[in-house]
Amino acid sequence: MIAASLVQMDVTPLDPSGNLRRIHDHIAAEAVAGAKLILFPELANTGYVEPLVPGGPMTQPPADYALALWRACAAPDGPEIAALAEAGQRHGVHIVIGLGMRDPLRDGVMRNASLLIGPGGVLGSYVKLHQWQNEKLYFTRGDRIDTFPLGDTRLGMQICYDIRFPEITRILALQGAGIVTSVWASFGGQDMPVADEALFIHRAYTRATENGVFFLSCNRSGSHGGQRFFGRSCALAPDGTVLGALDHDGEDVLRVEIDLSQIARYRGFTGIWTDRAPEIYAKYL
C-alpha cells in the first residue's frame, strides 16, 4: 500500500519563498501522518500566469510581468529544488509538485513543469505539453512523455489541460505507469457557480478506467485576478472507484491509500489491454 496525500493549497502570486515555506510545512506534516507520496498543485511556487483570462486584470504593468514571473521560477540547480530534494530524503517521501522552472541555459525562458522528487533527489520531470490560453505567452511547451520508477510501479505526470488529450495518459500507461498524477490550477469566474461539481471526478474516472491506472488529481484553491480556483481534488482507482474526493475549493488535504494489486485485478478482469487493436487504429492516424 502507498499512502498518498494531495495538498489542495492556495498559492500567493510571485511569492516563491512564502509558497515554498508552506510547502515544506505540508511535507513535514504529511510525512508524520504516514504519507509516502505527496502531491502539490500546478505552479505552486509562482502562482498562475497573468492575466488569468484573456483581457483580464494584472497586478503590475504587462511589460514588467514576464521578468517578475521568470524571477519567481525555480532554477533546476537552484536552492529551491535542492531544499525539496533534502526534504524528500529527510522525511523518506516522494513529492510530485507543479513548478514554474527556468531554462538551465537561457535567461528568460520558462517552463510549466511537474517534478517527481524522492529520497534520492529529482527522479523525473515533465513539462506541460498542452498550454492553456495565456500560458503560451510565457512558457515553452514540453516535448517528452516519460514514466519514472516508484516502488513496485512506475509514475507518470501530466498537468491540468493535458487531461483533455487522452493520448498522454495512454502513452504513460503503455510505458508501464500504474499511477498517473495530474496537478492543476483550474479556475472559473469569482462569482460564477460551479457548472459541474463532479467535473474532476468525471475526467479522472475516464482516464483511470480506460487505462487501468490510479489517477491522482490535485487542484489548488484560492482566488486571483477575478477568478477562483476550483479545488475538488480527487483520487480514483483503476476500476473508477473514488478513493477520496474533496467537495469544496478551500484549503485541505486529501489522504488516500493505493493498493497496487488493483491494477492487475482490473486489467485482467476487463481485458482492456488484450482487446486493444492498435494495428487497426494505425490505419486512421
Side-chain angles (χ1 to χ4, degrees):
M1 299 288 282
I2 300 174
S5 293
L6 287 68
V7 180
Q8 182 172 292
M9 62 177 283
D10 194 0
V11 178
T12 303
L14 305 179
D15 182 18
S17 296
N19 294 325
L20 285 163
R21 279 196 298 271
R22 298 192 65 221
I23 287 165
H24 281 280
D25 288 344
H26 280 297
I27 293 171
E30 294 310 305
V32 169
K36 293 301 180 184
L37 175 63
I38 307 171
L39 275 63
F40 293 93
E42 178 182 13
L43 297 174
N45 57 338
T46 65
Y48 195 69
V49 300
E50 297 182 15
L52 275 76
V53 296
M58 298 190 70
T59 60
Q60 57 185 290
D64 298 333
Y65 178 74
L67 177 59
L69 179 63
W70 180 76
R71 286 174 172 165
C73 286
D77 59 352
E80 298 95 338
I81 304 303
L84 289 168
E86 193 277 331
Q89 181 179 46
R90 175 158 36 96
H91 297 291
V93 298
H94 286 78
I95 302 158
V96 172
I97 183 168
L99 295 172
M101 296 289 296
R102 299 181 187 180
D103 184 89
L105 298 176
R106 297 170 292 174
D107 285 357
V109 177
M110 298 169 276
R111 292 177 175 82
N112 183 348
S114 180
L115 269 60
L116 172 63
I117 299 170
V122 177
L123 305 178
S125 66
Y126 166 75
V127 176
K128 192 173 186 178
L129 180 56
H130 304 98
Q131 300 175 99
W132 179 253
Q133 293 186 338
N134 286 344
E135 293 173 32
K136 302 178 184 73
L137 300 175
Y138 307 104
F139 295 123
T140 299
R141 79 175 187 180
D143 60 3
R144 292 192 59 84
I145 303 171
D146 299 300
T147 63
F148 309 96
L150 180 71
D152 294 328
T153 189
R154 298 184 71 82
L155 182 142
M157 295 176 281
Q158 57 185 252
I159 302 174
C160 200
Y161 184 44
D162 282 329
I163 201 172
R164 300 196 190 204
F165 301 86
E167 294 88 349
I168 288 191
T169 312
R170 175 52 52 89
I171 290 167
L172 293 172
L174 284 167
Q175 292 183 4
I179 299 173
V180 175
T181 62
S182 181
V183 299
W184 299 70
S186 181
F187 55 83
Q190 180 70 51
D191 300 319
M192 297 291 291
V194 178
D196 181 357
E197 291 283 351
L199 172 64
F200 297 96
I201 293 176
H202 297 329
R203 289 177 171 171
Y205 176 92
T206 302
R207 296 293 165 260
T209 58
E210 66 193 6
N211 295 286
V213 297
F214 286 92
F215 200 95
L216 310 184
S217 176
C218 182
N219 196 17
R220 62 162 286 189
S221 64
S223 298
H224 177 204
Q227 306 292 310
R228 66 185 175 102
F229 294 89
F230 289 132
R232 293 170 175 79
S233 300
C234 60
L236 278 79
D239 65 356
T241 298
V242 179
L243 302 176
L246 300 177
D247 61 357
H248 58 81
D249 59 9
E251 290 195 305
D252 206 343
V253 178
L254 174 65
R255 301 182 180 99
V256 298
E257 295 282 339
I258 295 172
D259 178 1
L260 294 177
S261 70
Q262 293 184 37
I263 300 170
R265 182 181 298 116
Y266 172 74
R267 291 177 178 177
F269 175 76
T270 61
I272 59 169
W273 286 93
T274 57
D275 293 338
R276 293 181 66 245
E279 71 284 359
I280 304 300
Y281 312 147
K283 296 179 180 181
Y284 303 94
L285 296 177

